[in-house]
Amino acid sequence: MYAYDEIDRTFLNERVSEFRDQVQRRLAGELTEDEFKSLRLMNGVYLQLHAYMFRVAIPYGTLSSRQLRRMAHVARKYDRGYGHFTTRQNIQYNWIKLAELPDAMEDLAEVGIHAIQTSGNCVRNVTTDQWAGVVPDEVEDPRVWAEVLRQYTTLHPEFSFLPRKFKIAITASDHDRAAIKVHDIGLRILRNDKGELGFEVLVGGGLGRTPFIGKIIKPFVHARDIISYVEAVLRVYNQYGRRDNIYKARIKILVHELGAEAFARDVETEWAQIRDSALLIDDAMVDDIRSRFSYPAYEKLSDTPDELKKADDPRFQAWLQNSVAPHKEPGYAIVTLSLKPVGGPPGDATAEQMDAIADLSDRYSFGELRVGHEQNLALPNVAKRDLPALWRALDKIGVATPNVNLVTDIIACPGLDYCSLANARSIPIAQELTRRFADHDLASMIGRLHVNISGCINACGHHHVGHIGILGVEKNGEEVYQITIGGRADEKAELGVLIGPAVKYAEVADVIEDIVEAYLALRARPDELFVDTVKRLGVEPFKERVYATR
């Protein structure tokens, strides 16, 4: 966990006070909605279909039990009793009343939580691997560097009004759980031949209307230079990024139009002017930030405790195989809590569930939790001996569905149920698919298969990089859905390929079943993943299966 100091706490309190004044002026009619818009967006407040939506940051996806309880309190007191975890390590409340927003912010600020830079054309919440600090193959805890960049970019006067929003993600493992290749800047922590710590820098990734996979523009930037290099990238973007067309304003368009090599040369030129300046990071500063992250006092435990050997319940064994991952410390494990129950909206948690999960994190995970971009939660430090007891407790509150990374572990945006930008529904389709594939034996036999659903071209459900991507669009007043296959968001990130004409809302679940049946018939062996089958055969066999009878 990272501990804020007095400067951080004072800053948050002043920000709440400032926003309270802005809200009062809006309610009194002294500010029009247009005048108020830029002020509320800088505080994570959107105006959606039914109400204001409040987006709260969870920096690098790390939460304390106290912070989660406060989020539950906000859901219960100011919203309708639940929150929605997003694909960028945020939580959203969809029914907040404007008059009560400052009180909600004040309650969150008391535990070091805020909504700054969760919206607007600035550097957004810097995200990382949700297993940071506990996964065995990690080079370095990426949260330390996410905090370095968070502190540097927060309210930076030069980068608070960029051409468009700007997203940074960091990973430190070979397997990319942070989806760095679909971010404006993706950073991969590594060591060079001399053993020095640094970053591989990718730029220009992103989804939305015009998706691109990020390109490597610098194979190695020494850790001491990462602030100056990121600033050089932002300066080039700020200077040349388009402000005349919102659809062409993201850095991915600039990188695409200039070419990655030309963009990299511009960055090098800019960097040469600032790299040996005050932006050079000294070890003491990093050590200070690193010292504010607290790590558990792990015990020396058996990696094969008797409690696990005696646990023979088939439901527990299914959960153990699916939802529990190796930890860097012997005797401990990482546990993913599925927020994808059969028939439930993906990523939603009730206030009661959040309170219960906070209690369980205190009992079994040193009071710490994580939030992943797949819209699930994790307990990062669970003793293996406690897994049977933890499973029973999680099962009682509905977050032990053993479907992590399976076909029902669906990523979905709020879609037309809440979002003012959406033109099609996402949640009902996700709910129907979880019912169609509710049989755990069937889902396990299918294997790893990521379904991503977006209710509009803005792609908040990351449909471009779903193994199966579903994009809702409006055509002649009717919701129709385009289907792509073969996308992925990991270290081998690729964009999915459209399989054919859009299908009607009522046909989507049938089409997905057809695609899955085709995969089961076509895969070379039981452990060939869906994306590997698509890679080997292309989309044609799937297209033929879907459209032959339609």
Side-chain angles (χ1 to χ4, degrees), residues 246-264:
I246 191 174
Y247 302 120
K248 296 185 178 181
R250 296 291 294 271
I251 194 173
K252 61 187 177 183
I253 303 297
L254 178 63
V255 173
H256 175 68
E257 291 182 347
L258 286 178
E261 291 184 4
F263 182 85

Side-chain angles (χ1 to χ4, degrees), residues 537-548:
L537 298 175
V539 302
E540 284 303 321
F542 298 92
K543 180 177 181 179
E544 183 179 339
R545 177 62 179 259
V546 169
Y547 295 102

Side-chain angles (χ1 to χ4, degrees), residues 181-454:
K181 292 189 175 182
V182 292
H183 279 73
D184 297 297
I185 290 181
L187 300 175
R188 185 169 73 89
I189 299 177
L190 70 170
R191 292 189 183 277
N192 63 13
D193 293 340
K194 299 177 182 176
E196 296 169 323
L197 192 72
F199 297 82
E200 178 185 69
V201 181
L202 297 87
V203 170
L207 301 175
R209 185 178 299 269
T210 311
F212 286 108
I213 298 298
K215 284 99 177 163
I216 298 172
I217 63 165
K218 192 77 172 174
F220 186 82
V221 174
H222 197 287
R224 64 174 174 256
D225 296 319
I226 192 60
I227 285 181
S228 61
Y229 195 82
V230 167
E231 171 146 341
V233 172
L234 284 162
R235 283 188 176 194
V236 171
Y237 173 49
N238 217 4
Q239 183 172 2
Y240 298 114
R242 292 183 61 169
R243 295 174 187 272
D244 62 325
N245 185 335
I246 191 174
Y247 302 120
K248 296 185 178 181
R250 296 291 294 271
I251 194 173
K252 61 187 177 183
I253 303 297
L254 178 63
V255 173
H256 175 68
E257 291 182 347
L258 286 178
E261 291 184 4
F263 182 85
R265 284 196 296 273
D266 285 346
V267 171
E268 287 292 323
T269 300
E270 192 69 31
W271 189 38
Q273 301 178 47
I274 59 176
R275 64 178 298 181
D276 295 322
S277 66
L279 299 179
L280 199 65
I281 301 175
D282 64 57
D283 292 342
M285 187 272 278
V286 178
D287 289 345
D288 178 57
I289 288 177
R290 188 176 283 116
S291 72
R292 298 187 191 201
F293 282 92
S294 59
Y295 294 89
Y298 297 111
E299 299 177 66
K300 288 187 177 180
L301 300 176
S302 168
D303 217 31
T304 54
D306 290 341
E307 289 84 351
L308 272 187
K309 296 174 186 173
K310 296 175 183 173
D312 55 1
D313 186 322
R315 292 179 62 234
F316 170 73
Q317 290 296 332
W319 175 81
L320 181 68
Q321 293 299 316
N322 174 265
S323 304
V324 179
H327 195 283
K328 68 179 184 181
E329 292 292 331
Y332 287 86
I334 305 166
V335 175
T336 297
L337 282 55
S338 172
L339 298 184
K340 321 290 177 59
V342 174
D348 280 12
T350 66
E352 290 72 24
Q353 285 175 317
M354 286 189 264
D355 277 339
I357 292 168
D359 291 345
L360 292 172
S361 77
D362 281 338
R363 189 178 309 162
Y364 296 114
S365 188
F366 299 92
E368 185 176 334
L369 303 107
R370 304 293 178 82
V371 182
H373 83 84
E374 298 92 348
Q375 299 178 292
N376 287 320
L377 303 179
L379 297 177
N381 297 296
V382 179
K384 286 186 175 181
R385 67 188 178 196
D386 293 332
L387 288 171
L390 174 62
W391 168 70
R392 288 190 291 273
L394 295 175
D395 192 42
K396 283 183 180 177
I397 59 173
V399 294
T401 306
N403 63 348
V404 176
N405 289 320
L406 300 182
V407 63
T408 55
D409 187 8
I410 297 168
I411 293 175
C413 71
L416 200 54
D417 286 278
Y418 299 103
C419 181
S420 60
L421 299 176
N423 40 34
R425 289 167 286 176
S426 298
I427 293 173
I429 288 177
Q431 292 171 307
E432 176 60 19
L433 288 174
T434 62
R435 297 185 191 100
R436 297 279 184 109
F437 294 98
D439 184 328
H440 178 68
D441 291 338
L442 171 63
S444 294
M445 190 261 289
I446 294 168
R448 189 179 187 115
L449 205 172
H450 299 168
V451 178
N452 293 44
I453 308 172
S454 298

